[in-house]
Amino acid sequence: MISYIPEKKVFKLDTKNSSYIIAIFQEGYLINDYYGAYIPDTDISALRRRNRSASFSPSNAAIGEGAFTPDTAPMEYSTNGAGDMRISALAVRNKDGNTVTDVRYKSHRIFAGAPDISPLPHIYTNNDNEADTLEIVTADPYTGLEATLYYTVFKELDAVIRCVKLTNSGDAPLDIERAFSACVDLPSMDYDLITLWGRHVKERQEQRRPLAHGLQGIHSKRGVSSHAQNPFAALISAGGNEEYGNAYGFNLVYSGNFDISAEVDHNATTRIIAGINPDDFCWHLDVGESFQTPQCVQVFSANGLGEMSRTFHRLYSNNLIRGRYKTEKRPLLINSWEAAYFDFDTDKLTAFGEHAKELGIEMLVMDDGWFAKRNDDTNSLGDWYVNEKKLPGGLGVLVDRIHALGLKFGIWYEPEMISPDSDLYRAHPDWCVHVPGRVPSISRHQYVLDVSREDVRDNIFGQMSSVLSKYKIDYLKWDFNRNISEAGSALLPPERSKEFFHRFILGTYDLMDRFTKAFPDILFENCSGGGGRFDPGMLYFSPQIWTSDNTDPIERLPIQFGTSYCYPASSMGAHVSANPRTGYKTKAAVALWGTGGFELDPVKLNEEERATVRQSVADYHRYYDLIRSGDLYRLINPLNDPYRCAWAFVSADKAQALLTVVTMRKSENTLFFLKMKGLCPEKYYKCSLDGGVYSGALLMNGGIDLSEACPDDGDSVIVEFGEV
Ligand code: GLA
C-alpha cells in the first residue's frame, strides 16, 4: 500500500511486513526516513536523522547554514557534486562540461499495478491488486534534467521494485555518467554484506564480510552479469543468520555490466547503490530523449536470510518468469554434452533417446556440434545450418525419430557469437564486437557478435527461425561462452562509444523477445558456460538457467546454496551426470533441488545404475510440486559445516516436507540429530525414514536422528514428512 500524507509531505510504502518511508524535505530534497519492519505511524518525524550540518559538510544556503546538508542526510536518490560527498547514484554532465547534478521534488502520482519498462526485462503484476506504484518526478531546473523515480510496492510480498527514468527536458544535450537504479541509506553500519562470487564451474559462492568504513562492493565489466559476481547483494544485521536479523536483499533485473557498492561514511551510516556499472558507460541524451535504468528488486526480511530468499522466490515465480512453462511442468531432459561432446550422429542420438525413454526421461537435447562443420570449438558459430555429415538427411530425420519415441526434442544455440572461421565472419568481418585499430581478443576461439546492430539481429533471427519453424523444436538452450573485450560497434559514433555495453544487452533482450514471441511453445534454458548469466534479466526470457558446468554433486552444493539466495528452485537447471565422485543416489538427491535432467550416456549405464536413475525419475515427479511451490529452508550451509549440507522444502500448507542431507566428509562424531524448520508445531507427520509419527514441535526442537542415515563421504538421504 502506498499513501501520501500531505501535511507531513511523507510517502509511506507499506508491504505486509515492511515500511519504506520517503519525505519531501525543505527545498524539495527527497530524503529517506526509514526502511525496515512495518511501522503503522504516519508521523515519523521522530525518526528524522542526520539532516543537520556537520563540520566541512556543505549546507544548502536557502535552508540556512548548518540547518541541512545532503552530505549527512539520508538522501533518497543521491546526486553528484551538490553537497553529498558519498557515492552518488546520479551524475550527469551538462552543456557547461561539469557534472554537478541536483534533482528536487517536482510532482508525483500513485497508480495501480507496475510500469512496463520494455524492452528491459521487468517485474510485472498479474492483476492490479497485487501492487501499486509510486512515481516521483524530480527535476534539476538548471539543466532541465528530470529523474522520475518508480517504486512498485507489493502488498503480500515484502518487496519494493525500483527504477529511474531520466529525461532531458532542457535545451541542450546531456551525458549521463552514472544512473543507478536504487539507493538506500541506513542509519548504522552494523551489517554484514553478503555477495555471490564465482568463476566458471564455481558459480555463486557466498561471501560474507562485515561492513567497514569506506567503499566495498562488487561489479562486472565483462559485458554480462558474469560468473565472477552475481548482481545480488544482501545486508544482514551483524550476527544475523537464516532466521534472525534484518536482511535487505538487492538484485538487479539486468544481464550486463553492473555495480553494487556500499559506503560507510564518517558518521558510520551506510549507503548502498545498485545499477549499471558507470565504468565504460556514458549515455548521450539529446533534448527530449529519455533513458530508462533497469530495475532493482529490494526485499526486506525481519527474520533473517531464509525469509528474504523465500520472498525473492515467490516474486520471481509469480511476477518475473513468464510463458507457457511458468506453470506447465518442465520435461525431464537428457543432454548430449557430457555424454558425447562433439562426437555424435543421428544414430547415436537416437540410441540415447531410446534408452532415455526406457528410463522415463522426457526430452532429448542435442547440444553443441550439430551445425556447419563444427566438430570442436574452433569454428562455425554464426553458421546455423545443419551438418549433414553428422545428421544425414537433415535435422528432420532425427527430430522425427525422437518424437516417434514419445520424447520432446531440444537444440543448442549460441546466438550472440561468431567464429572467425565461419561463413558469416568471412562475409561480414565488421559484425563482430571490435574497436578501430585493434585486433579483437579471442576467447574459446570466438568473437562476440555485435547484436547492438539491428541488421545483425535480423540475420541471426532469420537463420535460427528458419530452423525453429521448419522442425518441431520443443526446447532451446541459449549459450554465451565468453566475455566481451574491445567493446565497440562499427555503427556507433565516437561520442556514443560508451553506450556500447548497454546497447549490446538491449540487443540481446530484443533478440530474446523476438524468439519468445515467435515461438511461445519453446522452453528456453539460458546458459553461459554454465551459470555465467544467471540473473533476473535472463529469467524473464527463460524460466530455467543451467546452474553450472560443474556436475560434481559435492561441489554443486555451495553453488546451489548460493544460487538459492534469490533464485527459485524451478530456475536452477540441475542434472545428474556420470561424474564419479558419488553414486547416483547422491547425484540425484542434489539434482532434485532444481529443474532436472541427465548429462550422461544412457547406453553405458549398468543395471544397478539404471534402477537408481529410474528411482530418481520417480522422485522427480513425486516431489515436483513440493519443490517448485514449497518454501525453501537452508539448514546446513556447506561453506560453514565441514561435514554436511542440508536443506528442506515445506509445502505452503505445511502438510508435506522433504529434507535432503548430503555428507560431504565423514564426521568423527557418530551422533547426528538434525532439527527441521518450517513445519507446523501442532501437526503430526509421518517420517519416511523410520515410519514413525512425530509432532512438528518434536521434529523442529528435538530433531530427527540421522546418525546412521548417511554416515560416509558422499552418502545422502532424502526424508519425506507427510501430515497424518
Ligand atoms: C557451455 C555450456 C555447456 C555446453 C557447452 C557447449 O560450456 O555450459 O553446457 O553447452 O558450452 O559448447
Side-chain angles (χ1 to χ4, degrees):
M1 208 187 110
I2 299 173
S3 41
Y4 178 60
I5 302 138
E7 41 317 343
K8 306 276 176 213
K9 294 196 170 174
V10 156
F11 300 99
K12 207 156 170 281
L13 284 55
D14 292 327
T15 68
K16 205 171 179 183
N17 306 299
S18 77
S19 294
Y20 184 95
I21 303 174
I22 306 166
I24 309 168
F25 192 66
Q26 291 171 50
E27 296 299 308
Y29 283 108
L30 278 185
I31 55 176
N32 189 290
D33 277 333
Y34 177 78
Y35 186 27
Y38 173 77
I39 50 178
D41 314 53
T42 50
D43 183 352
I44 39 72
S45 51
L47 293 178
R48 190 149 296 164
R49 60 185 196 267
R50 289 183 286 124
N51 33 11
R52 270 162 281 116
S53 194
S55 308
F56 287 87
S57 291
S59 298
N60 178 298
I63 302 175
E65 181 156 354
F68 175 84
T69 171
D71 195 23
T72 56
M75 301 303 288
E76 181 54 34
Y77 191 59
S78 60
T79 60
N80 182 63
D84 184 344
M85 310 291 182
R86 295 165 290 176
I87 37 171
S88 38
L90 182 67
V92 178
R93 186 151 30 90
N94 56 42
K95 62 174 188 286
D96 305 322
N98 69 68
T99 52
V100 175
T101 309
D102 191 359
V103 290
R104 312 280 180 87
Y105 173 85
K106 185 176 169 192
S107 63
H108 76 270
R109 75 184 173 110
I110 296 167
F111 56 90
D116 179 346
I117 61 161
S118 302
L120 284 168
H122 54 273
I123 298 287
Y124 60 86
T125 47
N126 298 289
N127 61 65
D128 277 353
N129 294 328
E130 273 181 306
D132 291 329
T133 297
L134 167 66
E135 178 191 293
I136 306 179
V137 181
T138 65
D140 183 347
Y142 182 70
T143 60
L145 173 74
E146 278 187 3
T148 306
L149 317 180
Y150 292 90
Y151 304 82
T152 298
V153 180
F154 277 79
K155 289 175 190 156
E156 294 299 320
L157 293 170
D158 301 318
V160 177
I161 320 304
R162 300 175 62 169
C163 62
V164 178
K165 189 166 108 184
L166 300 171
T167 303
N168 184 349
S169 302
D171 55 11
L174 297 169
D175 288 292
I176 304 166
E177 296 198 342
R178 295 169 74 85
F180 280 70
S181 306
C183 170
V184 169
D185 278 6
L186 295 170
S188 86
M189 62 178 287
D190 302 330
Y191 297 97
D192 289 347
L193 175 67
I194 293 181
T195 53
L196 303 171
W197 73 277
R199 57 174 159 77
H200 182 225
V201 301
K202 197 179 174 72
E203 293 88 339
R204 289 170 297 287
Q205 306 284 310
E206 177 194 330
Q207 169 86 62
R208 183 169 176 157
R209 58 194 128 168
L211 285 180
H213 277 96
L215 273 175
Q216 47 247 286
I218 54 168
H219 75 169
S220 168
K221 289 175 63 170
R222 295 168 181 274
V224 287
S225 48
S226 90
H227 297 86
Q229 294 289 351
N230 196 263
F232 165 82
L235 293 174
I236 169 89
S237 310
N241 59 21
E242 287 289 324
E243 284 168 289
Y244 302 107
N246 283 347
Y248 299 86
F250 303 89
N251 197 196
L252 285 162
V253 188
Y254 192 56
S255 313
N257 289 349
F258 73 90
D259 182 315
I260 303 179
S261 291
E263 182 177 12
V264 176
D265 72 357
H266 53 292
N267 288 327
T269 72
T270 302
R271 166 171 295 166
I272 184 162
I273 58 173
I276 293 176
N277 192 341
D279 269 5
D280 285 329
F281 169 83
C282 184
W283 196 273
H284 187 70
L285 208 57
D286 273 326
V287 172
E289 283 183 347
S290 290
F291 178 83
Q292 174 66 53
T293 74
Q295 287 181 335
C296 177
V297 177
Q298 275 177 208
V299 167
F300 174 77
S301 153
N303 302 306
L305 297 162
E307 191 174 291
M308 175 201 76
S309 296
R310 291 186 285 277
T311 301
F312 274 115
H313 299 167
R314 281 189 209 113
L315 181 73
Y316 290 173
S317 301
N318 295 324
N319 303 91
L320 179 66
I321 290 171
R322 303 175 303 157
R324 176 177 159 184
Y325 285 98
K326 174 180 176 179
T327 48
E328 197 169 310
K329 194 166 177 182
R330 317 259 178 87
L332 193 52
L333 65 87
I334 184 160
N335 181 299
S336 66
W337 182 243
E338 286 190 34
Y341 296 104
F342 295 100
D343 179 21
F344 60 80
D345 59 17
T346 304
D347 287 342
K348 192 175 204 173
L349 293 182
T350 307
F352 282 4
E354 285 162 355
H355 283 257
K357 173 72 187 171
E358 198 260 327
L359 292 166
I361 294 166
E362 298 160 317
M363 177 160 73
L364 176 89
V365 177
M366 175 179 65
D367 208 278
D368 193 356
W370 60 268
F371 50 94
K373 56 169 190 176
R374 183 124 164 135
N375 291 314
D376 55 39
D377 61 11
T378 60
N379 58 72
S380 300
L381 296 170
D383 296 345
W384 300 111
Y385 55 86
V386 73
N387 176 347
E388 294 229 13
K389 283 198 184 122
K390 282 183 182 170
L391 306 174
L395 193 51
V397 177
L398 176 64
V399 174
D400 288 348
R401 282 204 211 167
I402 297 302
H403 281 144
L405 290 169
L407 297 183
K408 291 181 186 294
F409 182 82
I411 197 167
W412 179 96
Y413 277 100
E414 200 175 351
E416 304 142 273
M417 292 292 162
I418 182 165
S419 304
D421 181 4
S422 66
D423 298 342
L424 192 69
Y425 184 74
R426 282 182 283 273
H428 300 284
D430 61 333
W431 277 14
C432 76
V433 172
H434 68 286
V435 291
R438 294 186 198 281
V439 179
S441 302
I442 197 99
S443 179
R444 209 194 189 204
H445 314 284
Q446 63 201 55
Y447 296 149
V448 183
L449 200 51
D450 180 6
V451 298
S452 73
R453 293 173 63 147
E454 195 171 3
D455 53 352
V456 171
R457 298 199 296 274
D458 288 346
N459 177 291
I460 294 301
F461 183 77
Q463 285 198 60
M464 286 173 60
S465 58
S466 69
V467 175
L468 300 176
S469 46
K470 190 162 170 200
Y471 308 105
K472 180 151 178 6
I473 309 281
D474 304 292
Y475 161 108
L476 194 155
K477 180 172 169 186
W478 184 305
D479 215 332
F480 189 95
N481 279 317
R482 65 161 288 179
N483 291 159
I484 301 179
S485 57
E486 292 85 19
S489 167
L491 294 192
L492 273 183
E495 67 276 15
R496 286 192 180 270
S497 64
K498 282 185 148 192
E499 296 177 13
F500 175 76
F501 275 119
H502 185 61
R503 287 187 182 276
F504 179 89
I505 205 69
L506 289 178
T508 293
Y509 290 148
D510 176 62
L511 257 187
M512 290 185 169
D513 187 55
R514 286 204 224 174
F515 280 111
T516 47
K517 283 194 175 123
F519 303 99
D521 290 328
I522 291 182
L523 169 60
F524 287 82
E525 177 153 355
N526 180 261
C527 175
S528 173
R533 220 163 41 171
F534 204 127
D535 60 61
M538 287 294 144
L539 266 189
Y540 182 75
F541 296 102
S542 59
Q544 61 195 56
I545 301 177
W546 180 222
T547 308
S548 177
D549 277 343
N550 191 336
T551 53
D552 176 314
I554 303 299
E555 291 179 18
R556 268 262 173 170
L557 295 170
I559 297 174
Q560 295 185 178
F561 241 73
T563 305
S564 80
Y565 272 115
C566 52
Y567 305 106
S570 71
S571 67
M572 287 201 255
H575 296 176
V576 173
S577 78
N579 186 294
R581 175 77 164 265
T582 71
Y584 277 91
K585 185 178 163 219
T586 293
K587 292 190 269 201
V590 175
L592 198 54
W593 189 335
T595 285
F598 295 86
E599 202 77 38
L600 48 80
D601 182 345
V603 182
K604 290 187 181 147
L605 293 174
N606 64 34
E607 265 321 306
E608 194 188 335
E609 289 166 341
R610 267 168 211 281
T612 328
V613 166
R614 275 196 205 94
Q615 180 59 47
S616 77
V617 170
D619 287 342
Y620 180 77
H621 294 300
R622 180 175 175 87
Y623 299 117
Y624 187 91
D625 289 335
L626 172 62
I627 290 171
R628 264 125 213 102
S629 56
D631 288 326
L632 171 70
Y633 289 84
R634 289 179 294 254
L635 303 176
I636 304 178
N637 185 331
L639 293 178
N640 298 341
D641 190 286
Y643 307 116
R644 299 180 188 90
C645 174
W647 64 96
F649 285 94
V650 180
S651 64
D653 62 3
K654 299 194 180 287
Q656 192 195 12
L658 181 72
L659 161 70
T660 306
V661 183
V662 177
T663 302
M664 302 178 295
R665 188 156 70 86
K666 187 179 171 71
S667 166
E668 307 90 62
N669 192 343
T670 49
L671 201 62
F672 173 46
F673 276 80
L674 184 100
K675 291 178 184 164
M676 272 295 285
K677 282 184 192 164
L679 299 175
C680 173
E682 289 87 37
K683 283 190 199 294
Y684 279 81
Y685 298 89
K686 183 165 182 165
C687 168
S688 70
L689 190 69
D690 61 5
V693 172
Y694 310 104
S695 69
L698 179 145
L699 293 167
M700 292 194 291
N701 297 311
I704 162 172
D705 184 356
L706 295 173
S707 307
E708 276 154 34
C710 49
D712 291 321
D713 294 16
D715 277 355
S716 64
V717 64
I718 61 174
V719 186
E720 185 182 346
F721 299 95
E723 186 183 358
V724 290

